Amino acid sequence: MRGGRVRTNDLLVQAPALYHAPISPTVPTASAVATFFVAECDHDMPGLSIPRPEIQLVVRFGPSARGGLDVHAMGVRQKVHRKLIRSGQRAVTARLHLGASEAVLGVRASALAGRIVALEDLWGDAATRRLLDRLAGARDSIDAAALLESVITERVAIAGGRHPGAQLALDAADRVLRRKVNAVAVELGVSERHLRRVLREHVGVSPKAFARLVRFHRALGAARAERHASWAGIAAASGYYDQAHLIADFRAIAGMTPQALLGQLRVSPLLG
DNA sequence: AGGACCGTCAAAAGCAGTAT
DNA sequence: ATACTGCTTTTGACGGTCCT
């Protein structure tokens, strides 16, 4: 890994700040892209893919990609994945705003949950070919990210406004992090059942699973930012009942204890 | 499309404990 | 003190189904 880089809207920062990039929910801008993650690797190594609550559009350049360049959509996953990154591989990942999946990809988040889908299966061959041709001419990863953003913005403009359900999901997402689902439903003037249906459709996971992913990211981010903080303190600050429950979540999502995951992240690069 | 009802069961809460 | 495990009880999230 030659210094992974993160693009947070117009701001470029270095990899350690990854978890300071907004984890959904975020306020949508003109673009449907919440953040970009740009990674480059100069030798073979195992990498870790931390699950995120956003739909991601990934452009790969290099030996792992079909024909040296491919694009795929990655739905919301709930477990850490491990993968070998090949020398010379580059990846540009656009993380979409919550509820933007339908406008950008033509399918709702629920259709992508836990899946990786080639872009041609969503956009068709012609539109994908046009994007790949433009990306092939990109000077570097940052240029490719800018290109990708402009193409996404064009598609959102063509798709028109946000689906009402997507807007409801966005409104609810922030609230379910702090309150019970039925309380949020009352607040937003819909039934609890409807709110859960809409969240699953437009976010890709259940309200609880979404809140769990965000909480996990907060805890991991805090642990990476403050190396000497106690796990009990991190658990409390991140919304866990206590340290025991934080550890249980790390085991469920990452398959290892918090300490072990931090250790892994020191030797394996993040893949988005 | 969205509300109401309901049974099931997973997650959260709470606590006690061990290893270092 | 910290990091972690394991257990029981309680709560509420979930999804199926039916109805408007």
Side-chain angles (χ1 to χ4, degrees):
Chain A
M1 187 81 161
R2 197 177 53 216
R5 306 189 84 188
V6 186
R7 182 173 191 264
T8 304
N9 294 330
D10 294 318
L11 181 67
L12 280 169
V13 291
Q14 293 300 313
L18 174 65
Y19 290 101
H20 297 295
I23 295 294
S24 295
T26 52
V27 179
T29 60
S31 161
V33 180
T35 60
F36 275 100
F37 179 61
V38 179
E40 300 176 356
C41 185
D42 56 11
H43 56 283
D44 287 6
M45 55 165 46
L48 286 178
S49 174
I50 304 290
R52 295 181 67 96
E54 299 105 344
I55 301 290
Q56 305 184 82
L57 201 53
V58 184
V59 181
R60 293 188 305 173
F61 301 86
S64 297
R66 280 169 291 132
L69 170 61
D70 66 15
V71 186
H72 59 263
M74 197 156 73
V76 177
R77 290 184 304 185
Q78 298 186 62
K79 302 249 190 243
V80 165
H81 281 244
R82 288 166 184 75
K83 197 182 160 190
L84 179 71
I85 318 170
R86 298 214 172 277
S87 174
Q89 186 175 338
R90 285 192 293 140
V92 174
T93 303
R95 294 169 180 153
L96 304 185
H97 282 298
L98 279 193
S101 176
E102 201 167 9
V104 176
L105 300 169
V107 295
R108 293 184 181 174
S110 58
L112 297 171
R115 299 175 62 209
I116 293 173
V117 180
L119 190 66
E120 48 264 44
D121 293 337
L122 300 167
W123 283 10
D125 290 337
T128 303
R129 191 69 258 158
R130 277 197 298 278
L131 173 64
L132 290 176
D133 287 346
R134 290 177 70 177
L135 287 168
R139 292 185 302 277
D140 53 28
S141 296
I142 302 303
D143 192 30
L147 251 167
L148 186 59
E149 184 165 29
S150 74
V151 171
I152 287 172
T153 303
E154 283 165 25
R155 284 196 76 91
V156 171
I158 293 165
R162 187 185 296 275
H163 185 281
Q167 187 58 52
L168 176 63
L170 185 62
D171 292 342
D174 187 39
R175 291 172 160 93
V176 298
L177 301 178
R178 300 185 299 271
R179 286 186 284 284
K180 289 171 189 163
V181 179
N182 61 357
V184 174
V186 168
E187 230 176 275
L188 295 174
V190 295
S191 71
E192 184 198 333
R193 185 72 187 91
H194 179 54
L195 184 63
R196 281 194 282 110
R197 267 197 280 248
V198 162
L199 270 164
R200 191 175 270 288
E201 275 290 300
H202 294 278
V203 176
V205 290
S206 68
K208 214 66 224 173
F210 170 77
R212 185 192 198 199
L213 275 181
V214 174
R215 197 169 47 203
F216 170 78
H217 270 276
R218 284 182 180 163
L220 185 56
R224 283 163 63 86
E226 304 160 48
R227 296 204 166 179
H228 304 295
S230 74
W231 284 109
I234 290 170
S238 307
Y240 288 97
Y241 177 75
D242 64 11
Q243 185 192 356
H245 292 88
L246 176 145
I247 292 164
D249 252 15
F250 269 69
R251 279 190 176 282
I253 294 170
M256 60 186 96
T257 62
Q259 281 291 359
L261 180 59
L262 279 188
Q264 283 266 303
L265 288 174
R266 279 194 276 275
V267 295
S268 300
L270 283 161
L271 303 173

